Amino acid sequence: DAGVTQSPTHLIKTRGQQVTLRCSPISGHKSVSWYQQVLGQGPQFIFQYYEKEERGRGNFPDRFSARQFPNYSSELNVNALLLGDSALYLCASSLSKTEAFFGQGTRLTVV
Amino acid sequence: TQLLEQSPQFLSIQEGENLTVYCNSSSVFSSLQWYRQEPGEGPVLLVTVVTGGEVKKLKRLTFQFGDARKDSSLHITAAQPGDTGLYLCAGAISNYKLTFGKGTLLTVNP
């Protein structure tokens, strides 16, 4: 069975640009969460979506947005990129309330 | 403010040694997960503990959840080079989000 898949795996963007990251959850999982992990830190919660509705949002600016589609896949959008947005962006899918299974991540570099 | 404190931050040991890493908080968690992450990869779930005082074993790894559900430990017996990685604990307070510690970077030398 396929796990959580994310695309692209690596991305380089320029300051001020916009980026869209994609995630396909494990089959049967209806919940998708997004986390940001900067070097030397643990992942930080950005969003969770369940059945296409936002259930929770972390302490991130409005430049970050997300959505979930009818097939439960999800996109994370970041506008007006800053150098500090450089990080590993992780998508996780869940069947139970909190147990999360992560994808391999998208490494975003902002130059 | 980091809700979960992990210690030690770095650990370098020889193959065959035992080790324990700790995850502490002032908050009570409904559940706590341990993950292992390799460079450039996503975290891989090792175990979930739910009940205070719970002990779970996964081969050479032993996980314990504190009685008050505020802390946890991971003990590895006879460490092997394949155990090298970043060990992360994550606590669930609400139904929808995990709060992670900064992790313990373990290096097991042959």
Side-chain angles (χ1 to χ4, degrees):
Chain A
D1 285 342
V4 178
T5 58
Q6 292 187 243
S7 63
T9 55
H10 296 84
L11 201 53
I12 299 175
K13 290 286 190 178
T14 305
R15 277 178 296 176
Q17 285 188 313
Q18 176 264 342
V19 69
T20 297
L21 311 180
R22 295 176 176 82
C23 171
S24 292
I26 294 170
S27 177
H29 288 194
K30 298 180 180 181
S31 173
V32 170
S33 300
W34 288 94
Y35 289 79
Q36 180 197 65
Q37 187 178 23
V38 299
L39 202 60
Q41 301 289 323
Q44 295 290 315
F45 173 76
I46 309 176
F47 287 109
Q48 191 199 59
Y49 277 78
Y50 180 78
E51 292 278 15
K52 295 173 289 181
E53 291 192 1
E54 182 183 303
R55 284 182 116 188
R57 183 185 185 112
N59 188 25
F60 280 81
D62 291 344
R63 299 184 296 107
F64 289 76
S65 63
R67 55 180 176 169
Q68 187 177 32
F69 299 99
N71 66 353
Y72 304 112
S73 67
S74 178
E75 287 182 351
L76 175 70
N77 295 283
V78 187
N79 294 323
L81 285 166
L82 304 174
L83 294 179
D85 294 330
S86 295
L88 182 68
Y89 287 85
L90 295 162
C91 173
S93 75
S94 303
L95 191 60
S96 67
K97 285 183 179 177
T98 51
E99 198 169 72
F101 297 89
F102 286 85
Q104 83 281 8
T106 294
R107 170 68 63 186
L108 172 65
T109 303
V110 183
V111 297
Chain B
T1 303
Q2 194 75 27
L3 284 181
L4 275 170
E5 298 287 339
Q6 287 191 241
S7 62
Q9 191 174 352
F10 301 95
L11 189 56
S12 181
I13 61 171
Q14 294 300 121
E15 182 176 1
E17 293 183 356
N18 302 332
L19 67 114
T20 302
V21 299
Y22 300 92
C23 177
N24 295 292
S25 176
S26 57
S27 301
V28 176
F29 295 106
S30 58
S31 67
L32 191 139
Q33 284 86 46
W34 283 92
Y35 292 84
R36 178 171 164 268
Q37 185 178 26
E38 297 197 30
E41 300 290 326
V44 175
L45 180 65
L46 297 174
V47 77
T48 299
V49 286
V50 178
T51 306
E54 183 176 3
V55 177
K56 281 192 174 180
K57 292 192 175 184
L58 183 66
K59 297 183 181 178
R60 294 176 293 101
L61 278 61
T62 301
F63 305 86
Q64 186 162 4
F65 201 14
D67 290 340
R69 291 186 289 135
K70 292 183 179 181
D71 56 88
S72 182
S73 64
L74 158 61
H75 182 79
I76 301 179
T77 303
Q80 299 176 0
D83 295 327
T84 293
L86 179 67
Y87 288 83
L88 293 159
C89 66
I93 297 177
S94 67
N95 284 342
Y96 59 82
K97 107 180 204 183
L98 291 174
T99 298
F100 282 83
K102 288 186 178 182
T104 293
L105 185 60
L106 172 65
T107 302
V108 182
N109 302 298

